[in-house]
Amino acid sequence: MRSLSIALLIFHVSLTAQQAPTGLPKCETKQILELAVCIPMINEFKGYSQTLKIDKLNSEAIRNMTILCDRAAQCLSVNKCQESDNFKKTLEKSCDMLDYLGDPFHCLTEFFKETYSSNGSPTCFQKYDFLEKVLSKKREAFENGKSCFTDYVKDYCNKTSIDFFSKNYQKFVNDISIKPNDTDGQNPHKVLNMFRCNALGKQIQNEILELHALKMESNDTRIPKMNKMCKDMQDCASEYTSISLKNKQKIEHTCSLFETVNQGSFTDCTAKLMGDEPDLSDYKCLEGLDFYDSSNSNVCKKVTTKKECFKKIMGDKCGKEAVVDFDKIVERVAKVMEC
Ligand SMILES: *[C@@H]1O[C@H](CO)[C@@H](O)[C@H](O)[C@H]1NC(C)=O
Ligand SMILES: *[C@@H]1O[C@H](CO)[C@@H](O)[C@H](O)[C@H]1NC(C)=O
Ligand SMILES: *[C@@H]1O[C@H](CO)[C@@H](O)[C@H](O)[C@H]1NC(C)=O
Ligand SMILES: *[C@@H]1O[C@H](CO)[C@@H](O)[C@H](O)[C@H]1NC(C)=O
């Protein structure tokens, strides 16, 4: 199965700098010429930014960008006038998020995967809803859950991240819970959201694997979490136009499968069969297929070429209601697994 993870471009720096007047005088011709000297640095920065993908972060490139940021900012500080100041402000916003791109990126990716995970994350994760959508509540969660978050970081992240979050926790909380007013260009709020979407894409993969094994019961406490993951992933997909149509469709299939699984008797029957492993040697229609092997290729056979046989077994073992939605469900399984 191909990865759902979303290769997002981190920046598209817009340095067209349309901002409210700053109260500074307009730049004079001489100052504009001096400003022009800074342009190559900004362009070099943009050059890096156009190739930077969230799942292929290059630490050397990030270091180079940080250096360029400092140099360009110094260059733009020479003249205190409007155009120069606008450029500087826009650049600073882009530079501001570089802090998150190295080690903290890995750390936050693991953190978000963990918050989405349906298998026993640290207990305090249940107390603070770090995935809350309403920003004021999200802020509350990160403020009240500070020790929960920092304990996680201490246990699972590298030293750079531990230092970073202990020094910048309040800034991090602001960045994650305050949406800046200007929507164009890049900013830490958007970047952190992208990290969450990326981690979610990865974690959904893991959850699908659980489903593949068809070992879940409909009362499984993991299922509501999976449904939340799906909804959030759909939000991510609509937010990031760069996610391919194919992946968007896959997200749709996955979510509709989760919904059906939620509904009941089919799921309970497969869980029962997979648990009890009754002897199925009488079923000639299996033609040698090992019903209990949950490898991808085997599950694919069960939902495609052997699906009538699968249906008969389920009907015999669990009764008619277990196969009411059978055709719909196996079709979705086949689509999600790209059988
Ligand atoms: C970073 O900058 C150095 C010096 O300009 C250059 O040699 C190197 O190739 C750059 N690294 C990347 C990843 O672009
Ligand atoms: C810690 O650092 C190593 C090596 O740089 C990296 O591969 C790993 O992803 C990092 N882990 C976290 C959680 O940041
Ligand atoms: C956004 O604009 C509103 C109203 O002008 C202002 O109150 C608020 O502080 C601004 N938020 C940010 C993050 O700048
Ligand atoms: C789910 O239901 C089955 C039987 O219907 C029961 O044995 C199992 O304990 C239940 N699991 C949970 C988590 O409630």
Side-chain angles (χ1 to χ4, degrees):
M1 187 177 52
R2 241 165 333 81
S3 169
L4 239 184
S5 71
I6 37 180
L8 295 167
L9 275 175
I10 294 185
F11 294 81
H12 50 102
V13 191
S14 78
L15 286 174
T16 41
Q18 286 173 339
Q19 285 186 351
T22 49
L24 290 168
K26 282 188 150 299
C27 296
E28 290 162 19
T29 313
K30 174 176 162 290
Q31 292 172 319
I32 294 277
L33 289 175
E34 278 167 2
L35 173 64
V37 177
C38 314
I39 301 292
M41 291 174 212
I42 298 175
N43 281 340
E44 198 181 341
F45 181 83
K46 277 174 90 170
Y48 277 112
S49 68
Q50 276 152 6
T51 56
L52 211 56
K53 284 193 171 179
I54 200 167
D55 56 348
K56 293 199 186 81
L57 289 175
N58 174 333
S59 56
E60 197 191 322
I62 293 169
R63 230 184 354 263
N64 284 359
M65 288 174 84
T66 311
I67 295 168
L68 280 170
C69 266
D70 291 344
R71 282 186 16 216
Q74 267 178 22
C75 180
L76 291 168
S77 304
V78 171
N79 288 305
K80 303 269 180 285
C81 54
Q82 236 177 67
E83 289 82 353
S84 195
D85 196 59
N86 285 348
F87 264 125
K88 186 158 165 272
K89 286 212 173 91
T90 319
L91 183 75
E92 274 168 355
K93 271 196 301 170
S94 291
C95 296
D96 197 18
M97 81 194 113
L98 287 174
D99 289 342
Y100 287 111
L101 293 186
D103 234 24
F105 163 73
H106 296 288
C107 178
L108 285 168
T109 300
E110 292 310 310
F111 168 76
F112 283 123
K113 275 167 73 181
E114 196 66 47
T115 53
Y116 276 110
S117 165
S118 54
N119 291 317
S121 24
T123 44
C124 67
F125 280 36
Q126 273 125 52
K127 207 164 148 207
Y128 307 105
D129 191 357
F130 296 124
L131 299 172
E132 173 62 52
K133 280 209 190 66
V134 179
L135 292 176
S136 59
K137 290 190 182 157
K138 194 190 202 99
R139 185 180 185 82
E140 232 168 74
F142 277 97
E143 273 174 351
N144 298 336
K146 180 174 179 182
S147 62
C148 179
F149 179 87
T150 50
D151 283 350
Y152 176 85
V153 171
K154 273 185 205 125
D155 288 345
Y156 296 99
C157 300
N158 292 335
K159 185 159 184 315
T160 320
S161 297
I162 299 173
D163 290 348
F164 175 78
F165 286 110
S166 77
K167 282 198 200 102
N168 299 285
Y169 194 73
Q170 198 51 48
K171 178 184 182 307
F172 167 64
V173 174
N174 290 343
D175 284 342
I176 207 164
S177 66
I178 299 173
K179 195 179 176 136
N181 283 335
D182 48 346
T183 47
D184 58 328
Q186 198 56 278
N187 58 58
H189 182 75
K190 278 195 205 166
V191 164
L192 290 173
N193 199 42
M194 213 180 262
F195 287 3
R196 181 184 58 81
C197 287
N198 184 60
L200 174 56
K202 293 200 165 108
Q203 187 57 26
I204 268 191
Q205 293 290 115
N206 297 341
E207 307 287 334
I208 291 174
L209 291 177
E210 301 261 332
L211 265 191
H212 281 185
L214 294 173
K215 269 181 188 160
M216 273 198 208
E217 295 178 49
S218 61
N219 61 358
D220 197 304
T221 52
R222 289 172 293 182
I223 291 178
K225 271 208 129 169
M226 288 198 177
N227 276 318
K228 168 153 177 63
M229 290 174 77
C230 252
K231 298 243 161 54
D232 284 3
M233 196 66 209
Q234 283 171 320
D235 291 345
C236 288
S238 62
E239 211 163 316
Y240 297 108
T241 43
S242 57
I243 299 178
S244 69
L245 185 64
K246 189 157 168 290
N247 270 340
K248 283 186 179 168
Q249 284 169 344
K250 192 156 166 186
I251 294 164
E252 292 302 319
H253 293 320
T254 309
C255 292
S256 60
L257 178 63
F258 282 175
E259 255 162 45
T260 343
V261 165
N262 206 355
Q263 279 160 14
S265 40
F266 172 92
T267 325
D268 292 337
C269 180
T270 48
K272 182 167 172 292
L273 291 177
M274 300 305 283
D276 297 351
E277 302 203 356
D279 179 13
L280 300 174
S281 53
D282 286 347
Y283 288 89
K284 297 284 176 284
C285 62
L286 281 174
E287 292 173 326
L289 184 82
D290 177 1
F291 190 85
Y292 303 116
D293 169 3
S294 15
S295 66
N296 283 3
S297 65
N298 210 55
V299 175
C300 269
K301 282 183 199 141
K302 270 157 72 175
V303 298
T304 55
T305 53
K306 292 281 182 289
K307 82 175 178 194
E308 290 310 320
C309 188
F310 185 16
K311 190 174 182 175
K312 178 155 178 26
I313 294 171
M314 282 187 72
D316 291 351
K317 302 287 176 199
C318 306
K320 268 204 294 258
E321 76 272 24
V323 290
V324 173
D325 290 324
F326 184 91
D327 296 312
K328 202 165 78 190
I329 295 175
V330 295
E331 191 190 323
R332 285 175 181 171
V333 174
K335 274 191 180 142
V336 169
M337 293 181 62
E338 297 177 351
C339 291

PDB file of all heavy atoms in Angstrom, residues 200-217:
ATOM      1  N   LEU A 200      -0.669  13.119  11.167  1.00  0.00           N
ATOM      2  CA  LEU A 200      -1.943  12.428  11.057  1.00  0.00           C
ATOM      3  C   LEU A 200      -1.955  11.485   9.864  1.00  0.00           C
ATOM      4  O   LEU A 200      -2.403  10.333   9.968  1.00  0.00           O
ATOM      5  CB  LEU A 200      -3.059  13.476  10.951  1.00  0.00           C
ATOM      6  CG  LEU A 200      -4.474  12.997  10.683  1.00  0.00           C
ATOM      7  CD1 LEU A 200      -4.909  11.986  11.722  1.00  0.00           C
ATOM      8  CD2 LEU A 200      -5.423  14.186  10.682  1.00  0.00           C
ATOM      9  N   GLY A 201      -1.433  11.972   8.731  1.00  0.00           N
ATOM     10  CA  GLY A 201      -1.348  11.129   7.536  1.00  0.00           C
ATOM     11  C   GLY A 201      -0.568   9.860   7.829  1.00  0.00           C
ATOM     12  O   GLY A 201      -0.929   8.767   7.389  1.00  0.00           O
ATOM     13  N   LYS A 202       0.514  10.002   8.593  1.00  0.00           N
ATOM     14  CA  LYS A 202       1.337   8.836   8.936  1.00  0.00           C
ATOM     15  C   LYS A 202       0.615   7.909   9.909  1.00  0.00           C
ATOM     16  O   LYS A 202       0.646   6.690   9.760  1.00  0.00           O
ATOM     17  CB  LYS A 202       2.646   9.289   9.583  1.00  0.00           C
ATOM     18  CG  LYS A 202       3.525  10.027   8.627  1.00  0.00           C
ATOM     19  CD  LYS A 202       4.965  10.025   9.108  1.00  0.00           C
ATOM     20  CE  LYS A 202       5.902  10.435   8.014  1.00  0.00           C
ATOM     21  NZ  LYS A 202       6.463  11.769   8.222  1.00  0.00           N
ATOM     22  N   GLN A 203      -0.026   8.498  10.902  1.00  0.00           N
ATOM     23  CA  GLN A 203      -0.675   7.687  11.923  1.00  0.00           C
ATOM     24  C   GLN A 203      -1.874   6.925  11.356  1.00  0.00           C
ATOM     25  O   GLN A 203      -2.117   5.786  11.728  1.00  0.00           O
ATOM     26  CB  GLN A 203      -1.088   8.565  13.113  1.00  0.00           C
ATOM     27  CG  GLN A 203      -1.622   7.811  14.315  1.00  0.00           C
ATOM     28  CD  GLN A 203      -0.636   6.775  14.860  1.00  0.00           C
ATOM     29  OE1 GLN A 203       0.567   6.902  14.707  1.00  0.00           O
ATOM     30  NE2 GLN A 203      -1.163   5.736  15.466  1.00  0.00           N
ATOM     31  N   ILE A 204      -2.584   7.554  10.424  1.00  0.00           N
ATOM     32  CA  ILE A 204      -3.734   6.888   9.809  1.00  0.00           C
ATOM     33  C   ILE A 204      -3.299   5.586   9.138  1.00  0.00           C
ATOM     34  O   ILE A 204      -3.982   4.571   9.191  1.00  0.00           O
ATOM     35  CB  ILE A 204      -4.455   7.841   8.818  1.00  0.00           C
ATOM     36  CG1 ILE A 204      -5.554   8.587   9.560  1.00  0.00           C
ATOM     37  CG2 ILE A 204      -5.030   7.095   7.639  1.00  0.00           C
ATOM     38  CD1 ILE A 204      -6.503   9.365   8.686  1.00  0.00           C
ATOM     39  N   GLN A 205      -2.109   5.629   8.519  1.00  0.00           N
ATOM     40  CA  GLN A 205      -1.529   4.414   7.944  1.00  0.00           C
ATOM     41  C   GLN A 205      -1.510   3.267   8.952  1.00  0.00           C
ATOM     42  O   GLN A 205      -1.892   2.154   8.646  1.00  0.00           O
ATOM     43  CB  GLN A 205      -0.076   4.656   7.562  1.00  0.00           C
ATOM     44  CG  GLN A 205       0.149   5.602   6.468  1.00  0.00           C
ATOM     45  CD  GLN A 205      -0.308   5.002   5.171  1.00  0.00           C
ATOM     46  OE1 GLN A 205      -1.245   5.514   4.595  1.00  0.00           O
ATOM     47  NE2 GLN A 205       0.286   3.919   4.753  1.00  0.00           N
ATOM     48  N   ASN A 206      -1.002   3.589  10.131  1.00  0.00           N
ATOM     49  CA  ASN A 206      -0.887   2.559  11.161  1.00  0.00           C
ATOM     50  C   ASN A 206      -2.246   2.019  11.552  1.00  0.00           C
ATOM     51  O   ASN A 206      -2.418   0.831  11.792  1.00  0.00           O
ATOM     52  CB  ASN A 206      -0.215   3.118  12.419  1.00  0.00           C
ATOM     53  CG  ASN A 206       1.194   3.574  12.147  1.00  0.00           C
ATOM     54  OD1 ASN A 206       1.790   3.182  11.150  1.00  0.00           O
ATOM     55  ND2 ASN A 206       1.716   4.424  13.010  1.00  0.00           N
ATOM     56  N   GLU A 207      -3.224   2.907  11.627  1.00  0.00           N
ATOM     57  CA  GLU A 207      -4.554   2.492  12.049  1.00  0.00           C
ATOM     58  C   GLU A 207      -5.217   1.623  10.977  1.00  0.00           C
ATOM     59  O   GLU A 207      -5.931   0.679  11.285  1.00  0.00           O
ATOM     60  CB  GLU A 207      -5.427   3.706  12.357  1.00  0.00           C
ATOM     61  CG  GLU A 207      -4.813   4.688  13.345  1.00  0.00           C
ATOM     62  CD  GLU A 207      -4.813   4.180  14.791  1.00  0.00           C
ATOM     63  OE1 GLU A 207      -5.671   3.349  15.120  1.00  0.00           O
ATOM     64  OE2 GLU A 207      -3.942   4.628  15.569  1.00  0.00           O
ATOM     65  N   ILE A 208      -4.953   1.974   9.719  1.00  0.00           N
ATOM     66  CA  ILE A 208      -5.528   1.173   8.634  1.00  0.00           C
ATOM     67  C   ILE A 208      -5.014  -0.262   8.719  1.00  0.00           C
ATOM     68  O   ILE A 208      -5.748  -1.218   8.493  1.00  0.00           O
ATOM     69  CB  ILE A 208      -5.204   1.784   7.251  1.00  0.00           C
ATOM     70  CG1 ILE A 208      -5.954   3.103   7.080  1.00  0.00           C
ATOM     71  CG2 ILE A 208      -5.608   0.844   6.127  1.00  0.00           C
ATOM     72  CD1 ILE A 208      -5.603   3.852   5.815  1.00  0.00           C
ATOM     73  N   LEU A 209      -3.741  -0.385   9.084  1.00  0.00           N
ATOM     74  CA  LEU A 209      -3.178  -1.728   9.209  1.00  0.00           C
ATOM     75  C   LEU A 209      -3.955  -2.562  10.218  1.00  0.00           C
ATOM     76  O   LEU A 209      -4.168  -3.748  10.025  1.00  0.00           O
ATOM     77  CB  LEU A 209      -1.700  -1.662   9.596  1.00  0.00           C
ATOM     78  CG  LEU A 209      -0.770  -1.124   8.511  1.00  0.00           C
ATOM     79  CD1 LEU A 209       0.654  -1.039   9.026  1.00  0.00           C
ATOM     80  CD2 LEU A 209      -0.831  -1.989   7.266  1.00  0.00           C
ATOM     81  N   GLU A 210      -4.386  -1.920  11.289  1.00  0.00           N
ATOM     82  CA  GLU A 210      -5.188  -2.622  12.300  1.00  0.00           C
ATOM     83  C   GLU A 210      -6.497  -3.100  11.687  1.00  0.00           C
ATOM     84  O   GLU A 210      -6.958  -4.209  11.939  1.00  0.00           O
ATOM     85  CB  GLU A 210      -5.532  -1.688  13.452  1.00  0.00           C
ATOM     86  CG  GLU A 210      -4.367  -1.105  14.180  1.00  0.00           C
ATOM     87  CD  GLU A 210      -4.093  -1.883  15.460  1.00  0.00           C
ATOM     88  OE1 GLU A 210      -5.045  -2.445  16.006  1.00  0.00           O
ATOM     89  OE2 GLU A 210      -2.925  -1.917  15.871  1.00  0.00           O
ATOM     90  N   LEU A 211      -7.067  -2.214  10.883  1.00  0.00           N
ATOM     91  CA  LEU A 211      -8.332  -2.569  10.244  1.00  0.00           C
ATOM     92  C   LEU A 211      -8.161  -3.729   9.276  1.00  0.00           C
ATOM     93  O   LEU A 211      -9.021  -4.589   9.162  1.00  0.00           O
ATOM     94  CB  LEU A 211      -8.853  -1.377   9.449  1.00  0.00           C
ATOM     95  CG  LEU A 211      -9.858  -0.452  10.102  1.00  0.00           C
ATOM     96  CD1 LEU A 211     -10.419   0.478   9.040  1.00  0.00           C
ATOM     97  CD2 LEU A 211     -11.017  -1.225  10.721  1.00  0.00           C
ATOM     98  N   HIS A 212      -7.042  -3.695   8.558  1.00  0.00           N
ATOM     99  CA  HIS A 212      -6.775  -4.750   7.583  1.00  0.00           C
ATOM    100  C   HIS A 212      -6.899  -6.118   8.198  1.00  0.00           C
ATOM    101  O   HIS A 212      -7.362  -7.056   7.598  1.00  0.00           O
ATOM    102  CB  HIS A 212      -5.344  -4.626   7.054  1.00  0.00           C
ATOM    103  CG  HIS A 212      -5.224  -3.577   6.034  1.00  0.00           C
ATOM    104  ND1 HIS A 212      -4.079  -3.353   5.348  1.00  0.00           N
ATOM    105  CD2 HIS A 212      -6.111  -2.691   5.583  1.00  0.00           C
ATOM    106  CE1 HIS A 212      -4.280  -2.348   4.518  1.00  0.00           C
ATOM    107  NE2 HIS A 212      -5.498  -1.939   4.649  1.00  0.00           N
ATOM    108  N   ALA A 213      -6.382  -6.199   9.400  1.00  0.00           N
ATOM    109  CA  ALA A 213      -6.372  -7.496  10.041  1.00  0.00           C
ATOM    110  C   ALA A 213      -7.801  -7.910  10.389  1.00  0.00           C
ATOM    111  O   ALA A 213      -8.040  -9.060  10.740  1.00  0.00           O
ATOM    112  CB  ALA A 213      -5.503  -7.438  11.278  1.00  0.00           C
ATOM    113  N   LEU A 214      -8.734  -6.970  10.257  1.00  0.00           N
ATOM    114  CA  LEU A 214     -10.149  -7.230  10.523  1.00  0.00           C
ATOM    115  C   LEU A 214     -10.330  -7.915  11.874  1.00  0.00           C
ATOM    116  O   LEU A 214     -10.999  -8.920  11.998  1.00  0.00           O
ATOM    117  CB  LEU A 214     -10.761  -8.093   9.412  1.00  0.00           C
ATOM    118  CG  LEU A 214     -10.843  -7.433   8.038  1.00  0.00           C
ATOM    119  CD1 LEU A 214     -11.302  -8.433   7.000  1.00  0.00           C
ATOM    120  CD2 LEU A 214     -11.750  -6.224   8.038  1.00  0.00           C
ATOM    121  N   LYS A 215      -9.676  -7.335  12.845  1.00  0.00           N
ATOM    122  CA  LYS A 215      -9.720  -7.949  14.158  1.00  0.00           C
ATOM    123  C   LYS A 215     -10.442  -7.086  15.180  1.00  0.00           C
ATOM    124  O   LYS A 215     -10.326  -7.282  16.368  1.00  0.00           O
ATOM    125  CB  LYS A 215      -8.287  -8.178  14.666  1.00  0.00           C
ATOM    126  CG  LYS A 215      -7.754  -9.539  14.276  1.00  0.00           C
ATOM    127  CD  LYS A 215      -6.362  -9.716  14.831  1.00  0.00           C
ATOM    128  CE  LYS A 215      -5.730 -10.988  14.305  1.00  0.00           C
ATOM    129  NZ  LYS A 215      -4.292 -10.963  14.422  1.00  0.00           N
ATOM    130  N   MET A 216     -11.126  -6.058  14.674  1.00  0.00           N
ATOM    131  CA  MET A 216     -11.749  -5.143  15.629  1.00  0.00           C
ATOM    132  C   MET A 216     -13.208  -5.459  15.842  1.00  0.00           C
ATOM    133  O   MET A 216     -13.910  -5.827  14.931  1.00  0.00           O
ATOM    134  CB  MET A 216     -11.672  -3.745  15.056  1.00  0.00           C
ATOM    135  CG  MET A 216     -10.415  -3.094  15.406  1.00  0.00           C
ATOM    136  SD  MET A 216     -10.736  -1.392  15.147  1.00  0.00           S
ATOM    137  CE  MET A 216      -9.164  -0.882  14.769  1.00  0.00           C
ATOM    138  N   GLU A 217     -13.640  -5.249  17.066  1.00  0.00           N
ATOM    139  CA  GLU A 217     -15.076  -5.382  17.321  1.00  0.00           C
ATOM    140  C   GLU A 217     -15.711  -4.004  17.253  1.00  0.00           C
ATOM    141  O   GLU A 217     -15.043  -2.998  17.436  1.00  0.00           O
ATOM    142  CB  GLU A 217     -15.292  -6.001  18.706  1.00  0.00           C
ATOM    143  CG  GLU A 217     -14.768  -7.420  18.763  1.00  0.00           C
ATOM    144  CD  GLU A 217     -14.927  -8.034  20.139  1.00  0.00           C
ATOM    145  OE1 GLU A 217     -16.038  -7.948  20.681  1.00  0.00           O
ATOM    146  OE2 GLU A 217     -13.951  -8.581  20.656  1.00  0.00           O
TER     147      GLU A 217
END
